[in-house]
Amino acid sequence: MSATFVGMPAFPEAARAALADPQLRHNLAHATDTIRRKRASVVAEIPEWEELRLVGAAVKDSALRSLDTHLVELEERLVANGAVVHWARDAAEACAIVAEVATRHSAEEVVKVKSMVTQEIGLNEALAAQGIAAWETDLAELIVQLGDDLPSHILVPAIHRNRAEIREIFRTKMAAAGRPAPDDLTDDPAALAGAAREHLREKFLRAKVAVSGANFAVAETGTLVVVESEGNGRMCLTLPDVLVSVVGIEKVLPTWESLDPMMRLLPRSSTGERMNPYTSTWSGVTPGDGPQEVHVVLLDNGRTNALADDVGRQALRCIRCSACLNVCPVYERTGGHAYGSVYPGPIGAILNPLLKGTGVDEQTDSLPYASSLCGACFEACPVRIDIPEVLVHLRTKVVDSHRGDRVLKPEAVAMKAAAFAFSDARRLALAERASGLAGRVIGRWGKTRLPGGRPAAGRIPGPGAAWTSARDMPAPPKESFRAWWKRTSGGRS
Amino acid sequence: MSARDEILGRVRAALADVDTSADVAVPAAPRSAAPPGDVVELFLERVADYRAVVERCSVADLVERVRAALPEGGRVVVPPGLEIEIVGAVADDHLSAAELDAVDAVVTAARVGIAETGTIVLDHQPDQGRRALSLVPDHHVCVVRADQIVPDVPDAVTMLDPSRPQTWISGPSATSDIELDRVEGVHGPRVLHVIVVDP
Ligand code: SF4
């Protein structure tokens, strides 16, 4: 059974641990570099890419702006197509619905298509508590599940593992979960994929109940869409008698035609392919083909909180392509675990606080700061989510929600001090002189050097500690601009 | 209050500031410039990029080409409505998943081919069979008529009927899960053999 994220430390602390792991940094740098290059080359093939991004954003916005109407329409169409529709306010309700369906069919196990939302609601753990085994069938999910590990990437949850580590996990863990790995298993990716094929095939053939998510839910036609690569999705969506799909309410697309821009944007942004190997669409029950009992669970679990935030609601446009993770300089160095959530990287840094609310727990509150605001995520995002804008907005919300605290957030302390100094020219001159002095001291202590050779302080004591515990602070220059101007008569002497 | 009513209520409350009466129309998705040259050739090239086997032939040669594409001595299943004569093949008659697993290859028709992305779409009509048929056997021979090939994704989406289940296939089963390198061959057919037939 997979580990959980519950009780993860706040981002700066978790990042420190991740940064100290050279194997992890190597695996991540290699993988993100590969995917960035692939994405860039297939995006360059499409001259209308920027226009397509605008349309992608507009399609999702139009779905979200009348979400209530679309949800009602989706439900109507699904029911007319023979599906059973459930609504779940939160994770516990959604898990209970899935468990009830499985129990009614006396299923002791379910096969699962990779889905972010079922991880979000902790479905595997909830089913295990009822004595139902949930088998992950996506290769990366299988690696994570067998390794008793945590996912670290939206698309490739085992991105932090290299082939040698994967071979070790298969050799030592597969036997306990079913068909063992072959004795002569090598670390050749094709051999590893072959071992997963053999291991999972018996599970696909005997499963009675499958659980999936959906990439899109078309309101007008009651159609669900699953985008995948390996065929494990097709197996789960086709072979079992019963299919339960858990779908976040933001997955709605208004019309069948609106699938077009999405299917042009998603694969290129995600795996850097012109098209992913397999996409399945189904509209309820098809007599004589596939599951004859089809359930759809429409899930809120904080999405309406995000929707109520007029700046943050754009995050609900997200199609989980993971392009923003792959281009993020912070993600590339810390990996996904440091974000303490199934949604890591830039999108996780905004989505988690939007879903859970700010001022509730320290871990979530630390996420909007896990960014240098460089903007690479916005450039890469196929639905143009302005992640830096939302990050800044959420930082204000975090600080606001701590205004009543006895101990102020370091940002609040710094801003108070700055306001005091800047409001009076003499005070500012004094502060600058103090800073120059500190620069000389820190410059002498500074063991760290920033790129470019400028000396930096590691952790400094006192009120600055909270800031520098997670950042290298450049040593202040020895002379302030004001002092330099005076000394050189504005650079003339 | 039911979960349904409560969620819909929360959605409406969350959108209270949004004026939907002034709703802006979604701009039409841009169409790519017509691909240079023959769409059929582009389709073949793009399918081959996924490391699928591709070939093009005339109607007269089709039966022979299909036979040659099948693994020698293998058991072959076909959908009940396939209009290509394949000696020794069994027509699918609600075979169980385990029975399908014991079959080596399947031959199907297709609904549409997308040149730009090298994608084949099945909508599982009688000449393509139910979804499990083209999934469980390890070798899929797919016959696409040249006149079924369209330039790009929007052309396909407009033609397809969403009330039918669909499978969009771009190359053989693959994964990028190990160090983000594409490896062919996981759960779906490991061999995809596409034959484009000119009418
Ligand atoms: S925020 Fe944008 S780039 Fe990031 S996963 Fe979502 S859709 Fe992709």
Side-chain angles (χ1 to χ4, degrees):
Chain A
M1 207 24 71
S2 299
T4 71
F5 281 111
V6 176
M8 278 287 286
F11 184 85
E13 211 177 308
R16 189 175 292 284
L19 288 170
D21 181 345
Q23 181 69 62
L24 175 74
R25 292 188 63 171
H26 173 84
N27 293 356
L28 280 168
H30 172 70
T32 52
D33 178 58
T34 308
I35 193 74
R36 279 198 301 266
R37 273 187 286 116
K38 283 169 70 180
R39 176 188 170 277
S41 83
V42 291
V43 164
E45 279 182 11
I46 308 238
E48 67 278 9
W49 184 254
E50 289 307 318
E51 220 183 311
L52 212 48
R53 285 176 76 210
L54 285 166
V55 176
V59 163
K60 290 293 286 191
D61 272 348
S62 89
L64 292 169
R65 286 164 65 90
S66 323
L67 188 58
D68 51 336
T69 327
H70 294 308
L71 285 171
V72 171
E73 190 185 15
L74 176 67
E75 177 186 45
E76 260 170 39
R77 295 312 311 157
L78 281 167
V79 170
N81 298 340
V84 183
V85 176
H86 312 257
W87 298 73
R89 276 170 278 230
D90 54 28
E93 277 188 2
C95 290
I97 294 165
V98 181
E100 192 276 323
V101 173
T103 315
R104 191 152 37 76
H105 289 276
S106 318
E108 283 165 11
E109 59 177 9
V110 301
V111 284
K112 281 187 66 199
V113 191
K114 176 177 178 311
S115 110
M116 301 305 301
V117 75
T118 56
Q119 283 174 32
E120 173 193 323
I121 63 176
L123 181 64
N124 293 8
E125 294 71 24
L127 290 177
Q130 309 257 344
I132 302 163
W135 302 115
E136 294 294 351
T137 65
D138 169 75
L139 180 54
E141 294 276 7
L142 177 73
I143 297 164
V144 167
Q145 188 174 42
L146 290 175
D148 197 15
D149 199 352
L150 289 167
S152 69
H153 189 273
I154 295 179
L155 175 73
V156 195
I159 196 170
H160 56 292
R161 298 288 197 185
N162 64 25
R163 58 187 75 187
E165 294 171 294
I166 295 168
R167 170 174 178 261
E168 224 18 62
I169 292 171
F170 280 11
R171 274 164 41 92
T172 53
K173 300 289 179 62
M174 255 186 186
R179 188 180 168 128
D183 288 337
D184 56 354
L185 183 66
T186 66
D187 67 359
D188 172 25
L192 295 170
R197 178 185 172 97
E198 295 305 320
H199 177 77
L200 287 172
R201 184 135 299 215
E202 58 175 18
K203 294 196 164 79
F204 289 134
L205 293 181
R206 70 170 185 235
K208 294 278 168 288
V209 178
V211 178
S212 82
N215 293 84
F216 306 106
V218 181
E220 173 193 61
T221 57
T223 307
L224 298 194
V225 181
V226 163
V227 175
E228 54 136 352
S229 292
E230 297 167 15
N232 62 310
R234 292 176 68 191
M235 290 280 178
C236 293
L237 301 172
T238 309
L239 296 184
D241 306 326
V242 181
L243 172 62
V244 190
S245 305
V246 183
V247 183
I249 54 173
E250 84 286 14
K251 295 289 168 199
V252 169
L253 293 182
T255 61
W256 171 252
E257 266 70 33
S258 51
L259 195 59
D260 157 44
M262 295 303 160
M263 288 308 296
R264 285 194 271 168
L265 288 165
L266 177 55
R268 287 181 205 255
S269 303
S270 184
T271 44
E273 295 168 299
R274 296 189 183 110
M275 193 61 88
N276 52 293
Y278 299 132
T279 297
S280 298
T281 79
W282 71 102
S283 305
V285 174
T286 309
D289 186 349
Q292 296 300 296
E293 186 179 321
V294 170
H295 297 263
V296 178
V297 183
L298 297 174
L299 175 76
D300 180 351
N301 205 34
R303 284 157 180 76
T304 47
N305 291 343
L307 191 65
D309 184 319
D310 61 345
V311 178
R313 63 170 62 118
Q314 57 182 307
L316 296 177
R317 298 204 295 251
C318 175
I319 53 174
R320 312 276 189 264
C321 72
S322 69
C324 58
L325 278 63
N326 301 330
V327 299
C328 176
V330 176
Y331 177 87
E332 185 182 356
R333 285 162 182 81
T334 64
H337 290 158
Y339 295 81
S341 157
V342 297
Y343 302 113
I347 182 60
I350 60 173
L351 196 58
N352 291 301
L354 286 165
L355 294 175
K356 297 180 197 163
T358 43
V360 180
D361 69 87
E362 195 203 346
Q363 198 277 330
T364 307
D365 280 359
S366 73
L367 293 177
Y369 297 91
S371 167
S372 65
L373 302 180
C374 75
C377 46
F378 172 56
E379 291 297 313
C381 179
V383 287
R384 295 177 57 94
I385 300 171
D386 192 342
I387 295 177
E389 178 192 21
V390 182
L391 283 167
V392 172
H393 165 74
L394 288 170
R395 287 180 187 183
T396 6
K397 284 186 88 168
V398 169
V399 173
D400 282 349
S401 64
H402 288 275
R403 275 204 202 286
D405 295 3
R406 272 159 168 273
V407 185
L408 288 172
K409 288 237 140 218
E411 289 75 13
V413 175
M415 289 308 155
K416 277 207 164 128
F420 177 76
F422 280 110
S423 61
D424 181 303
R426 268 167 312 145
R427 279 189 213 141
L428 184 57
L430 265 171
E432 284 173 353
R433 232 174 295 150
S435 156
L437 203 63
R440 255 163 272 168
V441 176
I442 292 171
R444 230 171 288 152
W445 274 358
K447 294 193 189 67
T448 319
R449 296 227 162 233
L450 295 176
R454 190 170 171 192
R459 279 180 200 232
I460 61 170
W467 179 263
T468 53
S469 69
R471 298 168 181 86
D472 292 325
M473 188 186 75
K478 297 186 181 79
E479 188 177 32
S480 73
F481 175 75
R482 192 189 286 256
W484 169 85
W485 184 269
K486 223 169 162 185
R487 178 169 62 75
T488 63
S489 317
R492 275 191 289 272
S493 64
Chain B
M1 204 195 290
S2 71
R4 176 187 190 275
D5 293 345
E6 195 171 330
I7 294 170
L8 287 173
R10 286 188 205 164
V11 169
R12 287 178 191 126
L15 292 169
D17 65 311
V18 176
D19 176 12
T20 44
S21 64
D23 226 350
V24 273
V26 176
R31 305 183 61 89
S32 48
D38 181 9
V39 282
V40 178
E41 286 305 313
L42 179 65
F43 174 76
L44 289 169
E45 192 185 303
R46 293 280 156 97
V47 177
D49 267 0
Y50 298 120
R51 279 174 264 186
V53 186
V54 293
E55 58 181 307
R56 186 172 182 175
C57 73
S58 64
V59 179
D61 290 345
L62 182 63
V63 171
E64 177 48 28
R65 294 290 188 105
V66 171
R67 202 191 52 74
L70 290 167
E72 216 169 307
R75 282 150 301 179
V76 179
V77 66
V78 293
L82 188 75
E83 288 169 359
I84 304 167
E85 191 59 45
I86 297 161
V87 184
V90 251
D92 173 39
D93 178 24
H94 304 288
L95 297 176
S96 70
E99 285 167 323
L100 281 178
D101 195 36
V103 165
D104 299 296
V106 57
V107 183
T108 73
R111 176 70 185 86
V112 58
I114 307 173
E116 175 71 36
T117 60
T119 303
I120 294 155
V121 184
L122 308 185
D123 68 357
H124 303 285
Q125 310 227 27
D127 60 349
Q128 301 148 53
R130 64 201 166 99
R131 285 173 281 173
L133 197 67
S134 42
L135 169 65
V136 181
D138 203 11
H139 192 121
H140 181 192
V141 178
C142 187
V143 179
V144 185
R145 289 199 324 267
D147 62 7
Q148 288 180 312
I149 297 168
V150 299
D152 202 356
V153 178
D155 311 293
V157 169
T158 340
M159 283 175 55
L160 289 162
D161 172 5
S163 71
R164 295 212 53 85
Q166 293 168 19
T167 309
W168 297 29
I169 299 172
S170 307
S173 155
T175 181
S176 303
D177 281 354
I178 301 166
E179 301 176 11
L180 278 171
D181 260 337
R182 181 160 167 145
V183 183
E184 282 74 31
V186 200
H187 304 294
R190 285 182 283 193
V191 178
L192 175 67
H193 192 131
V194 178
I195 303 177
V196 174
V197 52
D198 287 300

